[in-house]
Each structure stands twice: as structure tokens, then as C-alpha cells.
Amino acid sequence: MRVVVGLLLLLLGLCGSGAQGEAGGLGEVAEINQNTDPKHAAEESTEQTTKQTTCDIWTELRALRDMVVELNVHVELLQRENSVQATELVSLESRLTSSESKTRDLEKENADLQTRLNSSESRIDQLETENAEKPKVAFYAALTDARTLGPYNTDITLKYSKVFTNIGNAYNPSTGFFTAPVKGVYNLQFTVFGYNAGSTGVYVYKNNQRIMGDWDNNYNMFQKYFTKSLVLELKAGDEIHLVLPSGHSIYDDIYNHSTYSGSLLFTL
């Protein structure tokens, strides 16, 4: 743009010099040859035309100069706007880069969370599978609706015939025996109720060995309760049953006073 302005100014200078030279020469010729012949009038007319043309050229050149100046100002304004836009573009690029970095971080965190979630789901599935494979053993039964049993002159096995829970079918109400299905630790509990009886009691047998006995006298009381519990380590196939000792009685009816229950705590 500066080169264009320089060329215009140079052109203006040359045109001005030419116009002055022509004007001076014509003036001298006019003074020497004034009113000498008809050619003089034609030359004067030509001189005036040249001067007018020169003035027109000057006018056009000034207009062009003004246009160039205006264009130069416009270009500078555009350059400034361009600079501002370039600065904004750099800022936007920086923000975009930061956003992309945050996006990558979030994607990585999401991937880590998804991995942990998959691991947790896998662990849950594993635990559910292990839990499903573990044996489940629990039973609860009441003795009878026949009310008083005993006393007898011999020990008899108590058959708790009213079964309410028998998960794993480890308890047999027909025999009164609980059979451990797997090696583990079991919790067993029984409640004995005596009603208007001289003595009430029970023995606990593991296989053919008596491992516990408990009884109480009821001469001066109308009703008598006692409850016992055991935690036993049993092998698969071990049997537990309760026995009513000879000379003792036990009572039960629709209200289920005398009960027997057990469950597997954990396997070994």
C-alpha cells in the first residue's frame, strides 16, 4: 500500500513539472508571436486545452490519492480486527486444547470406573455362584398334638412330627433323626415343656453316644420349661436325635410348646 502511494505522488510531481514547462514555453511564444498570424489563435486554444487537461488530471490524481489514503486506513482497521480475531482464535484454541485434555481425563476415569464396575460385577457373580454352591441346612419342628407323652419304663426316641422348616431335608420326622449332610459346624436347639408332670427331661445323642442330658422335677409347679442349645462339629453322615428318658414325660399340643431346631453355621 505504501508503494502505491509513493508511485501516485511521483506521478503527481512529474505531471506538475510538465505542466509548468509547457505553460512557460507557451507564455514566451505568446509574447514573441502575439497577434502575428492565425496559427497563434490555434496554439492558444491548444494551450488552454492542455491546461484544462492538466487540471483535470490533477483533480483525478488527488481523488485517487484520497482513495488510497482511505483504503490504507481501511486496511489498517482490517489488520487490527484481524489481530484481535487472531488473539481470540489463539484463546479459543487454548480453551479447546484444555477441554480436549479434560475430556481425555474424564474418558480415562470413566474407563477406570467401568473396569472397577466390571470387576465388582464379576466378584458378585462369583460370590453368588459360591453361595449357590454352598449347602443350606436349617430345620424347625414341633413335637406333637397328642399332649402328654410318658412316662415310659424305657427310653424312647422323640419324633418331632410337625415340621415347619426343613431346608436341605436333613431332618427326618419319621425317625426324629437329624443327619449332617456335610462336614461343618452346626447349631442345635430344643425346648422341653412339662405340664402337670413329676419329672420332665431329654437326652441328646450323637450317633449312638449320649452327649448331653437335662431334666427337671415339676412336683410343685403346674408348668415347667427349659431350653438348651448346642454348637457341634459334625462330619457328613453324623446323626443327632433326642430321647425321652424312662420315668419322664413331655408335653406338646397345637401351641407347639416342645420344639427342636438346627442349622448349618459354616462348612469345614
Side-chain angles (χ1 to χ4, degrees):
M1 184 58 67
R2 292 177 180 176
V3 174
V4 174
V5 173
L7 291 175
L8 288 174
L9 293 175
L10 180 60
L11 181 59
L12 287 172
L14 292 175
C15 291
S17 299
Q20 291 177 358
E22 290 177 359
L26 289 173
E28 292 175 359
V29 173
E31 292 178 357
I32 297 172
N33 298 315
Q34 186 176 9
N35 298 322
T36 56
D37 53 33
K39 292 182 180 179
H40 178 69
E43 291 175 354
E44 286 183 351
S45 176
T46 302
E47 180 182 353
Q48 292 176 355
T49 302
T50 302
K51 289 179 178 180
Q52 182 64 37
T53 302
T54 301
C55 290
D56 293 341
I57 291 173
W58 271 96
T59 301
E60 292 180 0
L61 288 174
R62 289 190 185 96
L64 288 172
R65 182 192 61 189
D66 293 340
M67 290 176 61
V68 169
V69 172
E70 184 179 353
L71 287 172
N72 192 29
V73 172
H74 185 63
V75 167
E76 289 180 357
L77 291 175
L78 289 176
Q79 288 176 343
R80 291 178 185 176
E81 292 178 359
N82 207 20
S83 177
V84 172
Q85 291 177 354
T87 302
E88 292 178 351
L89 180 60
V90 172
S91 177
L92 287 173
E93 289 177 348
S94 177
R95 290 165 59 188
L96 178 61
T97 301
S98 177
S99 298
E100 290 175 346
S101 177
K102 290 181 179 179
T103 300
R104 287 193 295 270
D105 291 341
L106 290 173
E107 290 176 347
K108 183 179 178 181
E109 290 178 4
N110 186 55
D112 292 340
L113 288 174
Q114 187 64 43
T115 300
R116 292 167 60 185
L117 177 61
N118 292 337
S119 177
S120 298
E121 291 177 348
S122 177
R123 179 57 179 165
I124 290 172
D125 292 340
Q126 180 182 356
L127 290 174
E128 288 178 347
T129 301
E130 291 176 357
N131 187 55
E133 293 174 351
K134 286 182 178 179
K136 298 176 178 59
V137 181
F139 75 96
Y140 172 72
L143 185 58
T144 181
D145 287 340
R147 300 188 177 184
T148 302
L149 297 180
Y152 303 105
N153 58 5
T154 185
D155 296 348
I156 66 165
T157 298
L158 293 173
K159 301 176 182 179
Y160 291 79
S161 59
K162 296 186 291 183
V163 178
F164 300 102
T165 302
N166 196 12
I167 298 172
N169 295 315
Y171 175 71
N172 186 346
S174 300
T175 62
F177 279 68
F178 167 75
T179 304
V182 294
K183 183 179 180 181
V185 176
Y186 294 81
N187 178 56
L188 299 169
Q189 180 174 295
F190 59 87
T191 297
V192 175
F193 178 61
Y195 180 75
N196 197 21
S199 297
T200 186
V202 71
Y203 294 146
V204 179
Y205 278 80
K206 175 183 176 182
N207 300 324
N208 295 320
Q209 179 184 2
R210 187 169 68 189
I211 60 174
M212 180 182 179
D214 203 351
W215 53 88
D216 203 346
N217 295 322
N218 194 24
Y219 297 114
N220 300 321
M221 298 182 65
F222 187 62
Q223 299 176 348
K224 189 71 173 182
Y225 274 102
F226 65 84
T227 298
K228 297 294 181 179
S229 62
L230 304 88
V231 175
L232 298 176
E233 178 181 338
L234 303 177
K235 300 188 298 293
D238 282 345
E239 296 176 331
I240 304 293
H241 67 281
L242 305 183
V243 171
L244 178 66
S246 62
H248 292 69
S249 63
I250 190 171
Y251 182 92
D252 198 12
D253 57 22
I254 61 174
Y255 296 106
N256 305 316
H257 301 287
S258 296
T259 59
Y260 180 32
S261 62
S263 61
L264 171 65
L265 297 178
F266 52 87
T267 59
L268 295 175

